[in-house]
Amino acid sequence: MDKFFIITNSDKDCNLEITRYIQNYIRKKGGSCQIQNKSHKNLQGKYNYTDPADIDRNIQAILVLGGDGTVIQAARDVVDCGIPILGINLGTLGYLAEIDRNNVRMALDALFNDTYEIEERMMLEGGRSDGEPESQQVALNDVVISRTGSLRVVTYQIYVNDRYLTSYKADGIIVATPTGSTGYSMSAGGPIVAPDAKMMLITPICPHTLNRTSIVLDANDKIGISVGNGRAIAESERRKENQEAVAGFDAACSIPLWSGDKIEVRRSDKIMRLVKISKDSFLEILSRKMSS
């Protein structure tokens, strides 16, 4: 491949020094390289880093400069383009941004020589069960439902394929993909799962009961999470229940919830295509992260 688009986290490359270096190197090798035309801080609308309409259709790979968080948000922006992403880490070792700044030339040479692999990562989609279009989102890492408002504990009713499974009294609930298993879910006590696995994880955040167990489900299951005791409540009565929550998809958007509201999450038909150049396995990267 020789046609690239660069998405840069301007907080990590303030003067675009590394971005311009990569662009110049690509051009010297006879390739073409387009850079996002505005800082993510000035981007308006629903996108975090890039409006996919700015990306030419002949682009063969998107280079994302930043860290894992930047890769996750960029992946949400460009998922409908179907273009593979290579993460270039400008911070510490990442799971998604596998190339550090010292190995950029090696990575670009590998792209030009077509010596790379493409990994497909499953994504989640969902929103409020009322089907309101603005509440429907996708996530590469996780969907997090957490309490807001007062400090009282919220009850979450968990349903799988429309059947009641269990409930948690907790600060929140995480529904994670295998990719997201090394993020917030892990911090909350959830298991680490190989990124190519096909499953979903449910992990409570600071549960106030003895039931602290994460639940591992098949990727084809549908998850429902109700706020409160699960009963339908009239709109005028919702706030009186004082069980307020918010659903975040990859921490990129906030969908307000009140008692009686329900979030549904399922595997998305959309996938994230990740360029892998390093020969290091997930377990080798995991071992280095755990020993650092």
Side-chain angles (χ1 to χ4, degrees), residues 49-69:
Y49 283 93
T50 300
D51 186 336
D54 295 337
I55 302 176
D56 292 339
R57 293 186 177 181
N58 63 349
I59 295 297
Q60 296 169 302
I62 296 173
L63 311 179
V64 179
L65 279 63
D68 280 0

Side-chain angles (χ1 to χ4, degrees), residues 159-164 200 217-218 220-224:
Y159 298 82
V160 178
N161 301 326
D162 297 320
R163 294 187 176 184
Y164 173 78
M200 297 182 291
L217 298 173
D218 185 84
N220 295 316
D221 288 330
K222 182 179 73 172
I223 298 170

Side-chain angles (χ1 to χ4, degrees), residues 94-231:
Y95 291 101
L96 294 173
E98 66 164 30
I99 302 300
D100 62 36
R101 66 184 70 193
N102 297 322
N103 293 315
V104 166
R105 292 182 61 171
M106 174 276 295
L108 294 174
D109 290 342
L111 295 179
F112 273 94
N113 295 328
D114 293 330
T115 54
Y116 57 85
E117 297 178 356
I118 301 291
E119 291 184 351
E120 294 186 349
R121 300 292 182 91
M122 68 170 280
M123 300 183 73
L124 302 174
E125 66 179 20
R128 280 202 302 265
S129 58
D130 58 16
E132 182 180 342
E134 292 185 358
S135 79
Q136 305 303 302
Q137 300 288 334
V138 296
L140 172 63
N141 243 29
D142 51 38
V143 180
V144 178
I145 300 93
S146 55
R147 69 182 185 186
T148 59
S150 66
L151 295 179
R152 63 183 294 180
V153 175
V154 174
T155 300
Y156 300 93
Q157 306 280 340
I158 309 298
Y159 298 82
V160 178
N161 301 326
D162 297 320
R163 294 187 176 184
Y164 173 78
L165 176 63
T166 188
S167 63
Y168 293 102
K169 288 186 176 181
D171 287 354
I173 300 291
I174 304 169
V175 180
T177 64
T179 297
S181 71
T182 54
Y184 194 5
S185 177
M186 179 184 69
S187 299
I192 297 175
V193 177
D196 57 351
K198 299 296 183 286
M199 59 184 63
M200 297 182 291
L201 314 174
I202 301 176
T203 300
I205 304 170
C206 297
H208 294 246
T209 64
L210 293 178
N211 181 10
R212 300 172 178 267
T213 306
S214 294
I215 302 170
V216 180
L217 298 173
D218 185 84
N220 295 316
D221 288 330
K222 182 179 73 172
I223 298 170
I225 302 173
S226 289
V227 178
N229 60 16
R231 65 184 177 88

Side-chain angles (χ1 to χ4, degrees), residues 46 48 72-73 76-77 137-138 142 247-254:
K46 64 180 181 179
N48 294 282
I72 290 167
Q73 300 304 335
R76 283 171 45 86
D77 288 347
Q137 300 288 334
V138 296
D142 51 38
F249 287 69
D250 284 339
C253 62
S254 297

